[in-house]
Structure formats: C-alpha cells, structure tokens
Amino acid sequence: TEFTHVLSIVRGQVRHPDGAVVAEAYVSSTDANGEYRYTTADAEGRFLLLGLPEGTFTIRAEDPASGLAGEAAGTLPDASQPF
C-alpha cells in the first residue's frame, strides 16, 4: 500500500518598493477554485500559506499602517508529477 500526502507551501516576505520590510502585513491568497486563505506576516514581513491546491493563485499583501497593497500571481505544479 502506498500513501501520498501532498502539502503545498507558499512563503515570502512583504516589502515596500523602497525595500523596507512591512511588519504584520495582511496576506491573502485566492486560487483558481475561488478558495481564500489568509495570514498575517511576522515582524520581519515573512509569511507562510499552507495547502494551496495545484494551479494558479494570486497573493495579495496589504500594509495595515499605510493601506498600500500589492498583488502577485503564480502557478503551483501538480505535486504528484515529477518535474
């Protein structure tokens, strides 16, 4: 019997355009199925989102102090396939 457990992890660091770290930024993701996940970055702007499914996703980060926000998109491969 073979068991496979796949868990995707998306991690990063939120920074302003000038390179300054955004402490405790609000970070959210939306995948191709419309599922929404969110977290809060730590004091160094680092965040971790767990369990995103394969396919496309969008990450949005917002600075709670200034209200500035930005987005980035990406694609997670099918983790059951070698690459």
Side-chain angles (χ1 to χ4, degrees), residues 5-11 29-33 35-38 48-57 59 76-77 79:
H5 179 74
V6 177
L7 177 67
S8 63
I9 299 172
V10 175
R11 64 181 176 179
S29 70
T30 307
D31 64 34
N33 299 321
E35 283 191 49
Y36 177 81
R37 291 172 175 74
Y38 67 93
L48 189 69
L49 291 163
L50 301 173
L52 276 71
E54 67 186 60
T56 59
F57 64 92
I59 301 286
L76 292 170

mmCIF file with all atom_site columns, all heavy atoms in Angstrom, residues 5-11 29-33 35-38 48-57 59 76-77 79:
data_model
loop_
_atom_site.group_PDB
_atom_site.id
_atom_site.type_symbol
_atom_site.label_atom_id
_atom_site.label_alt_id
_atom_site.label_comp_id
_atom_site.label_asym_id
_atom_site.label_entity_id
_atom_site.label_seq_id
_atom_site.pdbx_PDB_ins_code
_atom_site.Cartn_x
_atom_site.Cartn_y
_atom_site.Cartn_z
_atom_site.occupancy
_atom_site.B_iso_or_equiv
_atom_site.pdbx_formal_charge
_atom_site.auth_seq_id
_atom_site.auth_comp_id
_atom_site.auth_asym_id
_atom_site.auth_atom_id
_atom_site.pdbx_PDB_model_num
ATOM 1   N N   . HIS A 1 5  ? 0.839   12.100 0.634   1.00 0.00 ? 5  HIS A N   1
ATOM 2   C CA  . HIS A 1 5  ? 0.227   13.293 1.222   1.00 0.00 ? 5  HIS A CA  1
ATOM 3   C C   . HIS A 1 5  ? 0.972   14.489 0.646   1.00 0.00 ? 5  HIS A C   1
ATOM 4   O O   . HIS A 1 5  ? 2.178   14.622 0.821   1.00 0.00 ? 5  HIS A O   1
ATOM 5   C CB  . HIS A 1 5  ? 0.330   13.288 2.741   1.00 0.00 ? 5  HIS A CB  1
ATOM 6   C CG  . HIS A 1 5  ? -0.264  14.499 3.369   1.00 0.00 ? 5  HIS A CG  1
ATOM 7   N ND1 . HIS A 1 5  ? -1.617  14.696 3.449   1.00 0.00 ? 5  HIS A ND1 1
ATOM 8   C CD2 . HIS A 1 5  ? 0.306   15.584 3.921   1.00 0.00 ? 5  HIS A CD2 1
ATOM 9   C CE1 . HIS A 1 5  ? -1.853  15.851 4.034   1.00 0.00 ? 5  HIS A CE1 1
ATOM 10  N NE2 . HIS A 1 5  ? -0.694  16.406 4.336   1.00 0.00 ? 5  HIS A NE2 1
ATOM 11  N N   . VAL A 1 6  ? 0.266   15.321 -0.061  1.00 0.00 ? 6  VAL A N   1
ATOM 12  C CA  . VAL A 1 6  ? 0.884   16.468 -0.711  1.00 0.00 ? 6  VAL A CA  1
ATOM 13  C C   . VAL A 1 6  ? 0.421   17.737 -0.010  1.00 0.00 ? 6  VAL A C   1
ATOM 14  O O   . VAL A 1 6  ? -0.777  17.953 0.177   1.00 0.00 ? 6  VAL A O   1
ATOM 15  C CB  . VAL A 1 6  ? 0.507   16.521 -2.214  1.00 0.00 ? 6  VAL A CB  1
ATOM 16  C CG1 . VAL A 1 6  ? 1.089   17.755 -2.856  1.00 0.00 ? 6  VAL A CG1 1
ATOM 17  C CG2 . VAL A 1 6  ? 0.973   15.258 -2.908  1.00 0.00 ? 6  VAL A CG2 1
ATOM 18  N N   . LEU A 1 7  ? 1.369   18.549 0.383   1.00 0.00 ? 7  LEU A N   1
ATOM 19  C CA  . LEU A 1 7  ? 1.066   19.823 1.024   1.00 0.00 ? 7  LEU A CA  1
ATOM 20  C C   . LEU A 1 7  ? 1.902   20.890 0.363   1.00 0.00 ? 7  LEU A C   1
ATOM 21  O O   . LEU A 1 7  ? 3.126   20.826 0.370   1.00 0.00 ? 7  LEU A O   1
ATOM 22  C CB  . LEU A 1 7  ? 1.385   19.765 2.522   1.00 0.00 ? 7  LEU A CB  1
ATOM 23  C CG  . LEU A 1 7  ? 1.194   21.047 3.308   1.00 0.00 ? 7  LEU A CG  1
ATOM 24  C CD1 . LEU A 1 7  ? -0.282  21.411 3.374   1.00 0.00 ? 7  LEU A CD1 1
ATOM 25  C CD2 . LEU A 1 7  ? 1.757   20.882 4.700   1.00 0.00 ? 7  LEU A CD2 1
ATOM 26  N N   . SER A 1 8  ? 1.251   21.858 -0.240  1.00 0.00 ? 8  SER A N   1
ATOM 27  C CA  . SER A 1 8  ? 1.992   22.945 -0.850  1.00 0.00 ? 8  SER A CA  1
ATOM 28  C C   . SER A 1 8  ? 2.215   24.052 0.172   1.00 0.00 ? 8  SER A C   1
ATOM 29  O O   . SER A 1 8  ? 1.397   24.270 1.061   1.00 0.00 ? 8  SER A O   1
ATOM 30  C CB  . SER A 1 8  ? 1.250   23.492 -2.060  1.00 0.00 ? 8  SER A CB  1
ATOM 31  O OG  . SER A 1 8  ? 0.015   24.029 -1.659  1.00 0.00 ? 8  SER A OG  1
ATOM 32  N N   . ILE A 1 9  ? 3.330   24.710 0.034   1.00 0.00 ? 9  ILE A N   1
ATOM 33  C CA  . ILE A 1 9  ? 3.688   25.817 0.911   1.00 0.00 ? 9  ILE A CA  1
ATOM 34  C C   . ILE A 1 9  ? 4.121   26.988 0.034   1.00 0.00 ? 9  ILE A C   1
ATOM 35  O O   . ILE A 1 9  ? 4.976   26.830 -0.834  1.00 0.00 ? 9  ILE A O   1
ATOM 36  C CB  . ILE A 1 9  ? 4.843   25.441 1.856   1.00 0.00 ? 9  ILE A CB  1
ATOM 37  C CG1 . ILE A 1 9  ? 4.438   24.276 2.750   1.00 0.00 ? 9  ILE A CG1 1
ATOM 38  C CG2 . ILE A 1 9  ? 5.259   26.646 2.692   1.00 0.00 ? 9  ILE A CG2 1
ATOM 39  C CD1 . ILE A 1 9  ? 5.574   23.708 3.574   1.00 0.00 ? 9  ILE A CD1 1
ATOM 40  N N   . VAL A 1 10 ? 3.525   28.127 0.258   1.00 0.00 ? 10 VAL A N   1
ATOM 41  C CA  . VAL A 1 10 ? 3.956   29.353 -0.400  1.00 0.00 ? 10 VAL A CA  1
ATOM 42  C C   . VAL A 1 10 ? 4.429   30.285 0.707   1.00 0.00 ? 10 VAL A C   1
ATOM 43  O O   . VAL A 1 10 ? 3.699   30.552 1.650   1.00 0.00 ? 10 VAL A O   1
ATOM 44  C CB  . VAL A 1 10 ? 2.808   30.005 -1.209  1.00 0.00 ? 10 VAL A CB  1
ATOM 45  C CG1 . VAL A 1 10 ? 3.244   31.341 -1.779  1.00 0.00 ? 10 VAL A CG1 1
ATOM 46  C CG2 . VAL A 1 10 ? 2.345   29.076 -2.320  1.00 0.00 ? 10 VAL A CG2 1
ATOM 47  N N   . ARG A 1 11 ? 5.662   30.732 0.581   1.00 0.00 ? 11 ARG A N   1
ATOM 48  C CA  . ARG A 1 11 ? 6.202   31.619 1.606   1.00 0.00 ? 11 ARG A CA  1
ATOM 49  C C   . ARG A 1 11 ? 6.885   32.799 0.938   1.00 0.00 ? 11 ARG A C   1
ATOM 50  O O   . ARG A 1 11 ? 7.278   32.733 -0.225  1.00 0.00 ? 11 ARG A O   1
ATOM 51  C CB  . ARG A 1 11 ? 7.156   30.883 2.522   1.00 0.00 ? 11 ARG A CB  1
ATOM 52  C CG  . ARG A 1 11 ? 8.385   30.378 1.836   1.00 0.00 ? 11 ARG A CG  1
ATOM 53  C CD  . ARG A 1 11 ? 9.271   29.636 2.783   1.00 0.00 ? 11 ARG A CD  1
ATOM 54  N NE  . ARG A 1 11 ? 10.407  29.076 2.038   1.00 0.00 ? 11 ARG A NE  1
ATOM 55  C CZ  . ARG A 1 11 ? 11.357  28.401 2.579   1.00 0.00 ? 11 ARG A CZ  1
ATOM 56  N NH1 . ARG A 1 11 ? 11.331  28.172 3.877   1.00 0.00 ? 11 ARG A NH1 1
ATOM 57  N NH2 . ARG A 1 11 ? 12.341  27.939 1.877   1.00 0.00 ? 11 ARG A NH2 1
ATOM 58  N N   . SER A 1 29 ? -4.490  34.728 -0.165  1.00 0.00 ? 29 SER A N   1
ATOM 59  C CA  . SER A 1 29 ? -4.364  34.050 -1.449  1.00 0.00 ? 29 SER A CA  1
ATOM 60  C C   . SER A 1 29 ? -5.745  33.626 -1.914  1.00 0.00 ? 29 SER A C   1
ATOM 61  O O   . SER A 1 29 ? -6.615  33.313 -1.112  1.00 0.00 ? 29 SER A O   1
ATOM 62  C CB  . SER A 1 29 ? -3.454  32.825 -1.342  1.00 0.00 ? 29 SER A CB  1
ATOM 63  O OG  . SER A 1 29 ? -4.093  31.816 -0.582  1.00 0.00 ? 29 SER A OG  1
ATOM 64  N N   . THR A 1 30 ? -5.903  33.646 -3.217  1.00 0.00 ? 30 THR A N   1
ATOM 65  C CA  . THR A 1 30 ? -7.112  33.135 -3.854  1.00 0.00 ? 30 THR A CA  1
ATOM 66  C C   . THR A 1 30 ? -6.653  32.194 -4.962  1.00 0.00 ? 30 THR A C   1
ATOM 67  O O   . THR A 1 30 ? -5.812  32.576 -5.781  1.00 0.00 ? 30 THR A O   1
ATOM 68  C CB  . THR A 1 30 ? -7.957  34.271 -4.460  1.00 0.00 ? 30 THR A CB  1
ATOM 69  O OG1 . THR A 1 30 ? -8.194  35.256 -3.454  1.00 0.00 ? 30 THR A OG1 1
ATOM 70  C CG2 . THR A 1 30 ? -9.283  33.749 -4.982  1.00 0.00 ? 30 THR A CG2 1
ATOM 71  N N   . ASP A 1 31 ? -7.199  30.964 -4.968  1.00 0.00 ? 31 ASP A N   1
ATOM 72  C CA  . ASP A 1 31 ? -6.792  30.018 -6.003  1.00 0.00 ? 31 ASP A CA  1
ATOM 73  C C   . ASP A 1 31 ? -7.808  29.999 -7.138  1.00 0.00 ? 31 ASP A C   1
ATOM 74  O O   . ASP A 1 31 ? -8.799  30.721 -7.118  1.00 0.00 ? 31 ASP A O   1
ATOM 75  C CB  . ASP A 1 31 ? -6.551  28.626 -5.416  1.00 0.00 ? 31 ASP A CB  1
ATOM 76  C CG  . ASP A 1 31 ? -7.794  27.983 -4.838  1.00 0.00 ? 31 ASP A CG  1
ATOM 77  O OD1 . ASP A 1 31 ? -8.904  28.188 -5.369  1.00 0.00 ? 31 ASP A OD1 1
ATOM 78  O OD2 . ASP A 1 31 ? -7.670  27.235 -3.843  1.00 0.00 ? 31 ASP A OD2 1
ATOM 79  N N   . ALA A 1 32 ? -7.534  29.164 -8.129  1.00 0.00 ? 32 ALA A N   1
ATOM 80  C CA  . ALA A 1 32 ? -8.390  29.092 -9.318  1.00 0.00 ? 32 ALA A CA  1
ATOM 81  C C   . ALA A 1 32 ? -9.807  28.640 -8.994  1.00 0.00 ? 32 ALA A C   1
ATOM 82  O O   . ALA A 1 32 ? -10.744 28.916 -9.737  1.00 0.00 ? 32 ALA A O   1
ATOM 83  C CB  . ALA A 1 32 ? -7.767  28.157 -10.346 1.00 0.00 ? 32 ALA A CB  1
ATOM 84  N N   . ASN A 1 33 ? -9.990  27.941 -7.870  1.00 0.00 ? 33 ASN A N   1
ATOM 85  C CA  . ASN A 1 33 ? -11.319 27.489 -7.452  1.00 0.00 ? 33 ASN A CA  1
ATOM 86  C C   . ASN A 1 33 ? -12.056 28.532 -6.620  1.00 0.00 ? 33 ASN A C   1
ATOM 87  O O   . ASN A 1 33 ? -13.157 28.287 -6.139  1.00 0.00 ? 33 ASN A O   1
ATOM 88  C CB  . ASN A 1 33 ? -11.207 26.196 -6.643  1.00 0.00 ? 33 ASN A CB  1
ATOM 89  C CG  . ASN A 1 33 ? -10.592 25.072 -7.440  1.00 0.00 ? 33 ASN A CG  1
ATOM 90  O OD1 . ASN A 1 33 ? -10.867 24.922 -8.621  1.00 0.00 ? 33 ASN A OD1 1
ATOM 91  N ND2 . ASN A 1 33 ? -9.731  24.303 -6.802  1.00 0.00 ? 33 ASN A ND2 1
ATOM 92  N N   . GLU A 1 35 ? -11.017 29.536 -3.684  1.00 0.00 ? 35 GLU A N   1
ATOM 93  C CA  . GLU A 1 35 ? -10.748 29.339 -2.258  1.00 0.00 ? 35 GLU A CA  1
ATOM 94  C C   . GLU A 1 35 ? -9.844  30.452 -1.761  1.00 0.00 ? 35 GLU A C   1
ATOM 95  O O   . GLU A 1 35 ? -8.891  30.845 -2.437  1.00 0.00 ? 35 GLU A O   1
ATOM 96  C CB  . GLU A 1 35 ? -10.071 27.989 -2.011  1.00 0.00 ? 35 GLU A CB  1
ATOM 97  C CG  . GLU A 1 35 ? -11.010 26.824 -2.078  1.00 0.00 ? 35 GLU A CG  1
ATOM 98  C CD  . GLU A 1 35 ? -10.338 25.557 -1.572  1.00 0.00 ? 35 GLU A CD  1
ATOM 99  O OE1 . GLU A 1 35 ? -9.739  25.579 -0.486  1.00 0.00 ? 35 GLU A OE1 1
ATOM 100 O OE2 . GLU A 1 35 ? -10.422 24.560 -2.299  1.00 0.00 ? 35 GLU A OE2 1
ATOM 101 N N   . TYR A 1 36 ? -10.127 30.920 -0.575  1.00 0.00 ? 36 TYR A N   1
ATOM 102 C CA  . TYR A 1 36 ? -9.436  32.056 0.018   1.00 0.00 ? 36 TYR A CA  1
ATOM 103 C C   . TYR A 1 36 ? -8.717  31.602 1.285   1.00 0.00 ? 36 TYR A C   1
ATOM 104 O O   . TYR A 1 36 ? -9.283  30.886 2.098   1.00 0.00 ? 36 TYR A O   1
ATOM 105 C CB  . TYR A 1 36 ? -10.486 33.123 0.335   1.00 0.00 ? 36 TYR A CB  1
ATOM 106 C CG  . TYR A 1 36 ? -9.983  34.349 1.012   1.00 0.00 ? 36 TYR A CG  1
ATOM 107 C CD1 . TYR A 1 36 ? -9.369  35.365 0.291   1.00 0.00 ? 36 TYR A CD1 1
ATOM 108 C CD2 . TYR A 1 36 ? -10.137 34.522 2.385   1.00 0.00 ? 36 TYR A CD2 1
ATOM 109 C CE1 . TYR A 1 36 ? -8.920  36.511 0.910   1.00 0.00 ? 36 TYR A CE1 1
ATOM 110 C CE2 . TYR A 1 36 ? -9.696  35.665 3.012   1.00 0.00 ? 36 TYR A CE2 1
ATOM 111 C CZ  . TYR A 1 36 ? -9.082  36.651 2.272   1.00 0.00 ? 36 TYR A CZ  1
ATOM 112 O OH  . TYR A 1 36 ? -8.646  37.781 2.893   1.00 0.00 ? 36 TYR A OH  1
ATOM 113 N N   . ARG A 1 37 ? -7.471  32.013 1.430   1.00 0.00 ? 37 ARG A N   1
ATOM 114 C CA  . ARG A 1 37 ? -6.702  31.761 2.646   1.00 0.00 ? 37 ARG A CA  1
ATOM 115 C C   . ARG A 1 37 ? -6.055  33.073 3.056   1.00 0.00 ? 37 ARG A C   1
ATOM 116 O O   . ARG A 1 37 ? -5.770  33.911 2.206   1.00 0.00 ? 37 ARG A O   1
ATOM 117 C CB  . ARG A 1 37 ? -5.608  30.723 2.396   1.00 0.00 ? 37 ARG A CB  1
ATOM 118 C CG  . ARG A 1 37 ? -6.140  29.335 2.153   1.00 0.00 ? 37 ARG A CG  1
ATOM 119 C CD  . ARG A 1 37 ? -4.995  28.420 1.719   1.00 0.00 ? 37 ARG A CD  1
ATOM 120 N NE  . ARG A 1 37 ? -5.415  27.051 1.574   1.00 0.00 ? 37 ARG A NE  1
ATOM 121 C CZ  . ARG A 1 37 ? -6.145  26.583 0.574   1.00 0.00 ? 37 ARG A CZ  1
ATOM 122 N NH1 . ARG A 1 37 ? -6.552  27.389 -0.379  1.00 0.00 ? 37 ARG A NH1 1
ATOM 123 N NH2 . ARG A 1 37 ? -6.486  25.317 0.518   1.00 0.00 ? 37 ARG A NH2 1
ATOM 124 N N   . TYR A 1 38 ? -5.804  33.227 4.329   1.00 0.00 ? 38 TYR A N   1
ATOM 125 C CA  . TYR A 1 38 ? -5.141  34.454 4.766   1.00 0.00 ? 38 TYR A CA  1
ATOM 126 C C   . TYR A 1 38 ? -4.261  34.186 5.973   1.00 0.00 ? 38 TYR A C   1
ATOM 127 O O   . TYR A 1 38 ? -4.413  33.202 6.682   1.00 0.00 ? 38 TYR A O   1
ATOM 128 C CB  . TYR A 1 38 ? -6.164  35.551 5.078   1.00 0.00 ? 38 TYR A CB  1
ATOM 129 C CG  . TYR A 1 38 ? -7.029  35.258 6.272   1.00 0.00 ? 38 TYR A CG  1
ATOM 130 C CD1 . TYR A 1 38 ? -6.670  35.710 7.541   1.00 0.00 ? 38 TYR A CD1 1
ATOM 131 C CD2 . TYR A 1 38 ? -8.184  34.504 6.147   1.00 0.00 ? 38 TYR A CD2 1
ATOM 132 C CE1 . TYR A 1 38 ? -7.450  35.422 8.642   1.00 0.00 ? 38 TYR A CE1 1
ATOM 133 C CE2 . TYR A 1 38 ? -8.971  34.210 7.245   1.00 0.00 ? 38 TYR A CE2 1
ATOM 134 C CZ  . TYR A 1 38 ? -8.600  34.675 8.489   1.00 0.00 ? 38 TYR A CZ  1
ATOM 135 O OH  . TYR A 1 38 ? -9.366  34.379 9.578   1.00 0.00 ? 38 TYR A OH  1
ATOM 136 N N   . LEU A 1 48 ? 3.667   32.665 5.536   1.00 0.00 ? 48 LEU A N   1
ATOM 137 C CA  . LEU A 1 48 ? 3.596   31.273 5.106   1.00 0.00 ? 48 LEU A CA  1
ATOM 138 C C   . LEU A 1 48 ? 2.134   30.942 4.870   1.00 0.00 ? 48 LEU A C   1
ATOM 139 O O   . LEU A 1 48 ? 1.295   31.175 5.736   1.00 0.00 ? 48 LEU A O   1
ATOM 140 C CB  . LEU A 1 48 ? 4.163   30.398 6.224   1.00 0.00 ? 48 LEU A CB  1
ATOM 141 C CG  . LEU A 1 48 ? 4.401   28.932 5.967   1.00 0.00 ? 48 LEU A CG  1
ATOM 142 C CD1 . LEU A 1 48 ? 5.557   28.765 4.990   1.00 0.00 ? 48 LEU A CD1 1
ATOM 143 C CD2 . LEU A 1 48 ? 4.734   28.244 7.275   1.00 0.00 ? 48 LEU A CD2 1
ATOM 144 N N   . LEU A 1 49 ? 1.821   30.444 3.675   1.00 0.00 ? 49 LEU A N   1
ATOM 145 C CA  . LEU A 1 49 ? 0.469   29.973 3.356   1.00 0.00 ? 49 LEU A CA  1
ATOM 146 C C   . LEU A 1 49 ? 0.561   28.491 3.035   1.00 0.00 ? 49 LEU A C   1
ATOM 147 O O   . LEU A 1 49 ? 1.381   28.077 2.211   1.00 0.00 ? 49 LEU A O   1
ATOM 148 C CB  . LEU A 1 49 ? -0.106  30.735 2.157   1.00 0.00 ? 49 LEU A CB  1
ATOM 149 C CG  . LEU A 1 49 ? -0.430  32.201 2.411   1.00 0.00 ? 49 LEU A CG  1
ATOM 150 C CD1 . LEU A 1 49 ? -0.595  32.951 1.102   1.00 0.00 ? 49 LEU A CD1 1
ATOM 151 C CD2 . LEU A 1 49 ? -1.688  32.326 3.247   1.00 0.00 ? 49 LEU A CD2 1
ATOM 152 N N   . LEU A 1 50 ? -0.256  27.688 3.688   1.00 0.00 ? 50 LEU A N   1
ATOM 153 C CA  . LEU A 1 50 ? -0.204  26.236 3.548   1.00 0.00 ? 50 LEU A CA  1
ATOM 154 C C   . LEU A 1 50 ? -1.399  25.694 2.780   1.00 0.00 ? 50 LEU A C   1
ATOM 155 O O   . LEU A 1 50 ? -2.500  26.223 2.892   1.00 0.00 ? 50 LEU A O   1
ATOM 156 C CB  . LEU A 1 50 ? -0.194  25.576 4.932   1.00 0.00 ? 50 LEU A CB  1
ATOM 157 C CG  . LEU A 1 50 ? 0.939   25.958 5.860   1.00 0.00 ? 50 LEU A CG  1
ATOM 158 C CD1 . LEU A 1 50 ? 0.712   25.348 7.239   1.00 0.00 ? 50 LEU A CD1 1
ATOM 159 C CD2 . LEU A 1 50 ? 2.267   25.506 5.295   1.00 0.00 ? 50 LEU A CD2 1
ATOM 160 N N   . GLY A 1 51 ? -1.158  24.626 2.052   1.00 0.00 ? 51 GLY A N   1
ATOM 161 C CA  . GLY A 1 51 ? -2.237  23.844 1.478   1.00 0.00 ? 51 GLY A CA  1
ATOM 162 C C   . GLY A 1 51 ? -2.906  24.394 0.242   1.00 0.00 ? 51 GLY A C   1
ATOM 163 O O   . GLY A 1 51 ? -4.021  24.000 -0.077  1.00 0.00 ? 51 GLY A O   1
ATOM 164 N N   . LEU A 1 52 ? -2.249  25.275 -0.495  1.00 0.00 ? 52 LEU A N   1
ATOM 165 C CA  . LEU A 1 52 ? -2.844  25.741 -1.744  1.00 0.00 ? 52 LEU A CA  1
ATOM 166 C C   . LEU A 1 52 ? -2.885  24.584 -2.737  1.00 0.00 ? 52 LEU A C   1
ATOM 167 O O   . LEU A 1 52 ? -1.926  23.818 -2.837  1.00 0.00 ? 52 LEU A O   1
ATOM 168 C CB  . LEU A 1 52 ? -2.045  26.890 -2.347  1.00 0.00 ? 52 LEU A CB  1
ATOM 169 C CG  . LEU A 1 52 ? -2.350  28.284 -1.826  1.00 0.00 ? 52 LEU A CG  1
ATOM 170 C CD1 . LEU A 1 52 ? -1.843  28.469 -0.426  1.00 0.00 ? 52 LEU A CD1 1
ATOM 171 C CD2 . LEU A 1 52 ? -1.769  29.320 -2.734  1.00 0.00 ? 52 LEU A CD2 1
ATOM 172 N N   . PRO A 1 53 ? -3.968  24.434 -3.486  1.00 0.00 ? 53 PRO A N   1
ATOM 173 C CA  . PRO A 1 53 ? -4.036  23.347 -4.469  1.00 0.00 ? 53 PRO A CA  1
ATOM 174 C C   . PRO A 1 53 ? -3.213  23.694 -5.713  1.00 0.00 ? 53 PRO A C   1
ATOM 175 O O   . PRO A 1 53 ? -2.857  24.852 -5.929  1.00 0.00 ? 53 PRO A O   1
ATOM 176 C CB  . PRO A 1 53 ? -5.528  23.283 -4.801  1.00 0.00 ? 53 PRO A CB  1
ATOM 177 C CG  . PRO A 1 53 ? -6.011  24.670 -4.596  1.00 0.00 ? 53 PRO A CG  1
ATOM 178 C CD  . PRO A 1 53 ? -5.207  25.208 -3.443  1.00 0.00 ? 53 PRO A CD  1
ATOM 179 N N   . GLU A 1 54 ? -2.932  22.681 -6.521  1.00 0.00 ? 54 GLU A N   1
ATOM 180 C CA  . GLU A 1 54 ? -2.214  22.924 -7.766  1.00 0.00 ? 54 GLU A CA  1
ATOM 181 C C   . GLU A 1 54 ? -3.009  23.886 -8.633  1.00 0.00 ? 54 GLU A C   1
ATOM 182 O O   . GLU A 1 54 ? -4.226  24.001 -8.514  1.00 0.00 ? 54 GLU A O   1
ATOM 183 C CB  . GLU A 1 54 ? -1.988  21.617 -8.513  1.00 0.00 ? 54 GLU A CB  1
ATOM 184 C CG  . GLU A 1 54 ? -3.279  20.997 -9.006  1.00 0.00 ? 54 GLU A CG  1
ATOM 185 C CD  . GLU A 1 54 ? -3.075  19.642 -9.615  1.00 0.00 ? 54 GLU A CD  1
ATOM 186 O OE1 . GLU A 1 54 ? -2.587  18.747 -8.921  1.00 0.00 ? 54 GLU A OE1 1
ATOM 187 O OE2 . GLU A 1 54 ? -3.448  19.474 -10.780 1.00 0.00 ? 54 GLU A OE2 1
ATOM 188 N N   . GLY A 1 55 ? -2.304  24.582 -9.494  1.00 0.00 ? 55 GLY A N   1
ATOM 189 C CA  . GLY A 1 55 ? -2.952  25.525 -10.400 1.00 0.00 ? 55 GLY A CA  1
ATOM 190 C C   . GLY A 1 55 ? -2.553  26.960 -10.074 1.00 0.00 ? 55 GLY A C   1
ATOM 191 O O   . GLY A 1 55 ? -1.611  27.214 -9.324  1.00 0.00 ? 55 GLY A O   1
ATOM 192 N N   . THR A 1 56 ? -3.278  27.875 -10.652 1.00 0.00 ? 56 THR A N   1
ATOM 193 C CA  . THR A 1 56 ? -2.943  29.284 -10.498 1.00 0.00 ? 56 THR A CA  1
ATOM 194 C C   . THR A 1 56 ? -3.458  29.845 -9.172  1.00 0.00 ? 56 THR A C   1
ATOM 195 O O   . THR A 1 56 ? -4.413  29.327 -8.602  1.00 0.00 ? 56 THR A O   1
ATOM 196 C CB  . THR A 1 56 ? -3.528  30.125 -11.644 1.00 0.00 ? 56 THR A CB  1
ATOM 197 O OG1 . THR A 1 56 ? -4.939  29.968 -11.644 1.00 0.00 ? 56 THR A OG1 1
ATOM 198 C CG2 . THR A 1 56 ? -2.970  29.705 -12.985 1.00 0.00 ? 56 THR A CG2 1
ATOM 199 N N   . PHE A 1 57 ? -2.785  30.875 -8.702  1.00 0.00 ? 57 PHE A N   1
ATOM 200 C CA  . PHE A 1 57 ? -3.204  31.543 -7.473  1.00 0.00 ? 57 PHE A CA  1
ATOM 201 C C   . PHE A 1 57 ? -2.752  32.996 -7.533  1.00 0.00 ? 57 PHE A C   1
ATOM 202 O O   . PHE A 1 57 ? -1.860  33.358 -8.308  1.00 0.00 ? 57 PHE A O   1
ATOM 203 C CB  . PHE A 1 57 ? -2.625  30.856 -6.235  1.00 0.00 ? 57 PHE A CB  1
ATOM 204 C CG  . PHE A 1 57 ? -1.125  30.923 -6.153  1.00 0.00 ? 57 PHE A CG  1
ATOM 205 C CD1 . PHE A 1 57 ? -0.498  31.956 -5.471  1.00 0.00 ? 57 PHE A CD1 1
ATOM 206 C CD2 . PHE A 1 57 ? -0.335  29.967 -6.766  1.00 0.00 ? 57 PHE A CD2 1
ATOM 207 C CE1 . PHE A 1 57 ? 0.882   32.027 -5.405  1.00 0.00 ? 57 PHE A CE1 1
ATOM 208 C CE2 . PHE A 1 57 ? 1.048   30.024 -6.701  1.00 0.00 ? 57 PHE A CE2 1
ATOM 209 C CZ  . PHE A 1 57 ? 1.658   31.058 -6.023  1.00 0.00 ? 57 PHE A CZ  1
ATOM 210 N N   . ILE A 1 59 ? -1.628  36.156 -4.817  1.00 0.00 ? 59 ILE A N   1
ATOM 211 C CA  . ILE A 1 59 ? -1.289  36.568 -3.454  1.00 0.00 ? 59 ILE A CA  1
ATOM 212 C C   . ILE A 1 59 ? -1.479  38.080 -3.382  1.00 0.00 ? 59 ILE A C   1
ATOM 213 O O   . ILE A 1 59 ? -1.045  38.806 -4.270  1.00 0.00 ? 59 ILE A O   1
ATOM 214 C CB  . ILE A 1 59 ? 0.181   36.243 -3.108  1.00 0.00 ? 59 ILE A CB  1
ATOM 215 C CG1 . ILE A 1 59 ? 0.471   34.755 -3.239  1.00 0.00 ? 59 ILE A CG1 1
ATOM 216 C CG2 . ILE A 1 59 ? 0.536   36.773 -1.720  1.00 0.00 ? 59 ILE A CG2 1
ATOM 217 C CD1 . ILE A 1 59 ? -0.099  33.904 -2.156  1.00 0.00 ? 59 ILE A CD1 1
ATOM 218 N N   . LEU A 1 76 ? 1.182   26.699 -9.131  1.00 0.00 ? 76 LEU A N   1
ATOM 219 C CA  . LEU A 1 76 ? 1.752   25.531 -8.442  1.00 0.00 ? 76 LEU A CA  1
ATOM 220 C C   . LEU A 1 76 ? 1.579   24.332 -9.348  1.00 0.00 ? 76 LEU A C   1
ATOM 221 O O   . LEU A 1 76 ? 0.475   24.064 -9.829  1.00 0.00 ? 76 LEU A O   1
ATOM 222 C CB  . LEU A 1 76 ? 1.036   25.296 -7.114  1.00 0.00 ? 76 LEU A CB  1
ATOM 223 C CG  . LEU A 1 76 ? 1.283   26.362 -6.046  1.00 0.00 ? 76 LEU A CG  1
ATOM 224 C CD1 . LEU A 1 76 ? 0.330   26.162 -4.879  1.00 0.00 ? 76 LEU A CD1 1
ATOM 225 C CD2 . LEU A 1 76 ? 2.714   26.282 -5.568  1.00 0.00 ? 76 LEU A CD2 1
ATOM 226 N N   . PRO A 1 77 ? 2.662   23.570 -9.583  1.00 0.00 ? 77 PRO A N   1
ATOM 227 C CA  . PRO A 1 77 ? 2.554   22.387 -10.437 1.00 0.00 ? 77 PRO A CA  1
ATOM 228 C C   . PRO A 1 77 ? 1.808   21.272 -9.732  1.00 0.00 ? 77 PRO A C   1
ATOM 229 O O   . PRO A 1 77 ? 1.628   21.296 -8.509  1.00 0.00 ? 77 PRO A O   1
ATOM 230 C CB  . PRO A 1 77 ? 4.014   21.994 -10.677 1.00 0.00 ? 77 PRO A CB  1
ATOM 231 C CG  . PRO A 1 77 ? 4.738   22.509 -9.483  1.00 0.00 ? 77 PRO A CG  1
ATOM 232 C CD  . PRO A 1 77 ? 4.008   23.765 -9.066  1.00 0.00 ? 77 PRO A CD  1
ATOM 233 N N   . ALA A 1 79 ? 1.759   18.365 -7.842  1.00 0.00 ? 79 ALA A N   1
ATOM 234 C CA  . ALA A 1 79 ? 2.801   17.816 -6.973  1.00 0.00 ? 79 ALA A CA  1
ATOM 235 C C   . ALA A 1 79 ? 2.957   16.304 -7.099  1.00 0.00 ? 79 ALA A C   1
ATOM 236 O O   . ALA A 1 79 ? 3.963   15.753 -6.656  1.00 0.00 ? 79 ALA A O   1
ATOM 237 C CB  . ALA A 1 79 ? 2.532   18.196 -5.523  1.00 0.00 ? 79 ALA A CB  1
#
